[in-house]
Amino acid sequence: MFLRRLLFSAARRVAQDPEVQAKAADVYERGVKPRLSAARDELRELTGEVNPLDDPGGFARRLKERVREVNRQK
């Protein structure tokens, strides 16, 4: 119990640090946000190919194929 309280207290202090907040904002803007936008666009493209409401199984298969394609490229 003491260790958990200590860890949460340390996490709160770190989260309140302006330098940490600035770094987190930078990482989000330059790394996370562009990747989320790309994923959103790709998902929209997939829903244009296969309607998930009409054919959920087909959509899931196409999504699985696309995830495998992306993972193979890495």
Side-chain angles (χ1 to χ4, degrees):
M1 189 70 157
F2 173 73
L3 182 58
R4 184 189 320 186
R5 207 172 318 140
L6 182 64
L7 289 173
F8 276 109
S9 175
R12 261 189 244 111
R13 276 186 264 137
V14 168
Q16 291 174 350
D17 185 347
E19 288 181 29
V20 172
Q21 290 175 354
K23 178 68 176 174
D26 181 54
V27 166
Y28 174 75
E29 286 296 325
R30 295 195 308 130
V32 175
K33 192 173 181 180
R35 292 175 70 188
L36 282 175
S37 295
R40 180 194 63 222
D41 295 341
E42 185 128 2
L43 194 55
R44 281 187 181 154
E45 185 180 312
L46 283 175
T47 58
E49 295 173 12
V50 179
N51 187 340
L53 297 176
D54 294 337
D55 185 12
F59 178 75
R61 278 189 296 279
R62 181 65 187 111
L63 182 60
K64 181 177 74 173
E65 290 170 8
R66 183 61 187 135
V67 167
R68 285 184 176 168
E69 288 173 19
V70 170
N71 287 334
R72 263 187 249 129
Q73 293 173 359
K74 289 183 179 181

